[in-house]
Amino acid sequence: MAEASTASNRQTGILGWVERTGNKLPDPVFIFFYLIIALVVISVIAAVSGVSAQHPTALDENTGGALVIEAVSLLSPDNIQRLWVEMPKTFTHFHPLGYVLVVMLGAGVAERSGFFAAGMSKAVKSAPKALLTPVVALVAMIGNHAADAGYVVLIPLAGILFAAAGRHPLAGIAAAFAGVSGGFSANVSPGQLDALLFGITEEAVGASALDPTWTANIAGNWYFIVAMTVLYLPIIWYVTDKVIEPRLGAWTKGAVAGADEDAPVEVDEEKASKGLRAAGLAALFVVGLWVLMVFAPGTPLVDEAACEGIPAADCSIHTELRPLYQSLVAGFFLLFLLTGWAYGRAAGTIKDHRDLVNMMAESMKDMGYYLVLAFAAAHFVAMFGWSNLGLITAVHGAAGIESTGLPLPLVLGLMVIFAGLLNLFVGSASAKWALLAPILVPMLMLLGISPEGATAAYRVGDSATNIITPLMVYFPLILVFAQRWVKDFGLGSLTAMMLPYSVWLLISGVVLIVGWFYLGIPLGPDAPVGYTLPSAAAPAIMQ
């Protein structure tokens, strides 16, 4: 870490400016508190100035016309009372909080039992030499479900495996880092990140009051993140083998002393294999249980009455399957919990039920910072809604975008680039989305883009620049991994090595999101790209 710090101090130019500027920013928790103070001041000014907009869907009961939404001061007696009286409710009813904590209760067991590490190691070590790069990249992207384990386990392991195959270990580290962090949102199935982001999206939709019936579905980007995986895999493969590794040159030094001293401590291979087989059976049990609850008599996860009284053209199988989609948070909790427990029992890392409970408790300890951040973010989002500034800004912002004549897919592409630039300074995915969602989600809804579409566009930009910003929390750790193989490898060297990945992932992500919206492909089950406001009043967007 000392070497990383020294290297970072020597940075000049754009990289140095990014690092110096980012380091001057306060912790995201305090960013939200400062924003709340600014929001209070702006709300007072807006209320005194009579800032307003016509609600796109709601009717005024007195006049029968469109309801006029006026800015409300956060220093009004009602809002002051609301802040102090409803503080526990504001925090505990913050949608991402419950989603993330439930999933992480199970994921913590899967990580601490060694299941995630064993699964990733098994997949990578079994890869043929010719396919080492794509296997590392694919496992890295799927390994996002394993949270920290993807960084701490797979990245140093990839360096060791590349060196053992006679290839440059830094190429392995680069491929794994690009997959874990650059492909942060890509995966083959939803997970805790989807629960986190869609929880914030649901909070933003609720605060806007545009569509009280809309609820989050953590599978809302499922098809899209699979497409990201399919797209990013050959890009990471090509950049690693054709761009990065040739520049690094041939590896002839062998493993340096201590290069693998921080590699994960592995369970005996026979026990690990036994544990993985047990985890596989547990996974089949959970999948079978969910299938049973969909197709068995009584169908608890199918709402067979959902289409009653609705025209057939307006109903679909997805409407009836909404309980299934909403149950996926609990499903991933149970999947991670049982596979982790089954692996631990078979491999010997879980001796009894006390070990299981301790692992769940430890995973909640790791969420301590997130709870503090969620407290600040919850109040910022809620107060933004109380002031009506979010909806007013969204209405006028949507009108402004319409006046430019820009195609909506191009607007989304620009949104991706904006999120990528913001990511250079604010690393937390949840912090950025909690900041942006209250404006962007309702604004895009007014323009005919679904909340799922707004979330998909954000996550593309959020991940592409992770691998080139020194402010990403794991960036110094990756530098340490690299310095075990090349002692004088500095922060600038790491950024330069990862820059081709970032550029190509960002470009391809923009092309993907723009093309996806032009084609109108659903982003997930019951998650169209387009959106139509409820037709209560629906006057034209006001300028």
Side-chain angles (χ1 to χ4, degrees):
M1 295 297 292
E3 290 184 63
S5 177
T6 301
S8 66
N9 290 335
R10 294 197 298 266
Q11 290 305 300
T12 58
I14 294 178
L15 289 177
W17 177 80
V18 167
E19 185 175 9
R20 289 191 300 273
T21 303
N23 285 336
K24 291 178 181 177
L25 292 175
D27 186 274
V29 172
F30 269 80
I31 288 178
F32 277 113
F33 284 137
Y34 294 148
L35 287 172
I36 287 173
I37 294 172
L39 179 62
V40 171
V41 174
I42 294 171
S43 72
V44 173
I45 296 173
V48 171
S49 304
V51 175
S52 64
Q54 287 190 351
H55 197 288
T57 60
L59 293 172
D60 189 318
E61 295 180 357
N62 297 321
T63 66
L67 179 68
V68 176
I69 303 298
E70 298 179 341
V72 179
S73 169
L74 289 173
L75 292 183
S76 67
D78 287 345
N79 275 332
I80 292 175
Q81 180 188 84
R82 196 175 191 179
L83 172 65
W84 302 120
V85 172
E86 297 186 8
M87 185 170 285
K89 178 182 177 181
T90 301
F91 179 39
T92 58
H93 286 211
F94 189 50
H95 285 98
L97 191 62
Y99 293 166
V100 174
L101 293 182
V102 168
V103 174
M104 288 306 298
L105 273 173
V109 174
E111 181 178 358
R112 284 168 173 76
S113 67
F115 168 57
F116 282 149
M120 288 188 294
S121 298
K122 182 74 172 178
V124 173
K125 288 181 178 179
S126 301
K129 184 177 179 179
L131 298 177
L132 187 56
T133 301
V135 170
V136 165
L138 180 61
V139 173
M141 285 187 281
I142 296 175
N144 288 327
H145 285 326
D148 295 350
Y151 292 94
V152 178
V153 175
L154 183 60
I155 293 177
L157 177 62
I160 295 169
L161 292 175
F162 266 61
R167 301 178 61 181
H168 204 294
L170 293 189
I173 289 174
F177 189 25
V180 171
S181 196
F184 186 62
S185 282
N187 219 305
V188 296
S189 68
Q192 57 260 41
L193 178 63
D194 297 80
L196 172 65
L197 295 181
F198 275 108
I200 296 173
T201 302
E202 183 174 16
E203 193 78 16
V205 175
S208 73
L210 287 176
D211 188 350
T213 65
W214 191 88
T215 56
N217 165 18
I218 73 165
N221 282 168
W222 194 343
Y223 305 157
F224 185 76
I225 63 176
V226 171
M228 288 177 68
T229 306
V230 173
L231 176 64
Y232 286 177
L233 181 60
I235 290 175
I236 295 174
W237 187 358
Y238 178 84
V239 172
T240 301
D241 289 2
K242 301 300 182 181
V243 179
I244 300 303
E245 195 164 13
R247 293 183 179 182
L248 292 171
W251 179 254
T252 58
K253 301 178 183 179
V256 299
D260 60 349
E261 61 187 11
D262 286 344
V265 177
E266 297 184 0
V267 176
D268 174 80
E269 187 170 346
E270 183 178 347
K271 289 184 177 180
S273 297
K274 183 179 178 182
L276 289 173
R277 287 193 295 270
L281 293 175
L284 289 175
F285 169 77
V286 174
V287 172
L289 178 61
W290 250 249
V291 170
L292 184 66
M293 288 188 289
V294 171
F295 294 104
T299 57
L301 294 183
V302 178
D303 184 1
E304 296 177 338
C307 290
E308 292 181 2
I310 300 177
D314 296 334
C315 192
S316 69
I317 185 62
H318 295 301
T319 305
E320 297 181 344
L321 288 177
R322 180 160 293 181
L324 170 64
Y325 303 143
Q326 293 175 334
S327 75
L328 291 178
V329 172
F332 280 107
F333 156 71
L334 195 62
L335 178 67
F336 291 143
L337 177 66
L338 292 187
T339 53
W341 174 80
Y343 174 87
R345 290 290 293 178
T349 56
I350 295 179
K351 301 295 191 299
D352 53 33
H353 70 280
R354 291 181 177 83
D355 288 339
L356 181 67
V357 173
N358 286 337
M359 289 179 181
M360 297 175 74
E362 288 294 325
S363 68
M364 290 299 98
K365 289 181 183 178
D366 289 346
M367 298 301 292
Y369 176 79
Y370 174 74
L371 293 176
V372 179
L373 178 63
F375 178 81
H379 282 84
F380 172 77
V381 173
M383 294 173 72
F384 211 52
W386 302 343
S387 70
N388 287 335
L389 290 176
L391 181 57
I392 291 172
T393 304
V395 169
H396 290 298
I401 291 175
E402 279 192 331
S403 68
T404 66
L406 289 174
L408 289 184
L410 182 57
V411 171
L412 284 178
L414 294 174
M415 177 180 162
V416 169
I417 295 173
F418 173 70
L421 292 175
L422 183 61
N423 193 42
L424 294 173
F425 302 97
V426 183
S428 169
S430 58
K432 287 194 301 296
W433 192 225
L435 177 65
L436 297 174
I439 295 176
L440 291 181
V441 171
M443 183 178 71
L444 293 175
M445 290 170 68
L446 292 171
L447 292 170
I449 296 173
S450 67
E452 294 90 348
T455 308
Y458 165 74
R459 64 196 305 171
V460 172
D462 171 63
S463 60
T465 53
N466 275 336
I467 50 180
I468 60 171
T469 171
L471 302 179
M472 203 276 287
V473 292
Y474 285 106
F475 205 84
L477 179 64
I478 308 307
L479 183 62
V480 171
F481 291 153
Q483 288 174 342
R484 295 196 191 116
W485 300 96
V486 179
K487 291 299 184 183
D488 59 350
F489 197 80
L491 191 67
S493 303
L494 178 58
T495 304
M497 183 173 71
M498 301 310 299
L499 188 59
Y501 294 104
S502 184
V503 170
W504 282 108
L505 292 178
L506 185 60
I507 291 174
S508 62
V510 171
V511 172
L512 177 64
I513 197 77
V514 170
W516 198 284
F517 277 77
Y518 268 122
L519 295 174
I521 304 171
L523 294 156
D526 196 28
V529 297
Y531 175 80
T532 302
L533 288 169
S535 56
I541 295 175
M542 298 300 295
Q543 300 290 337

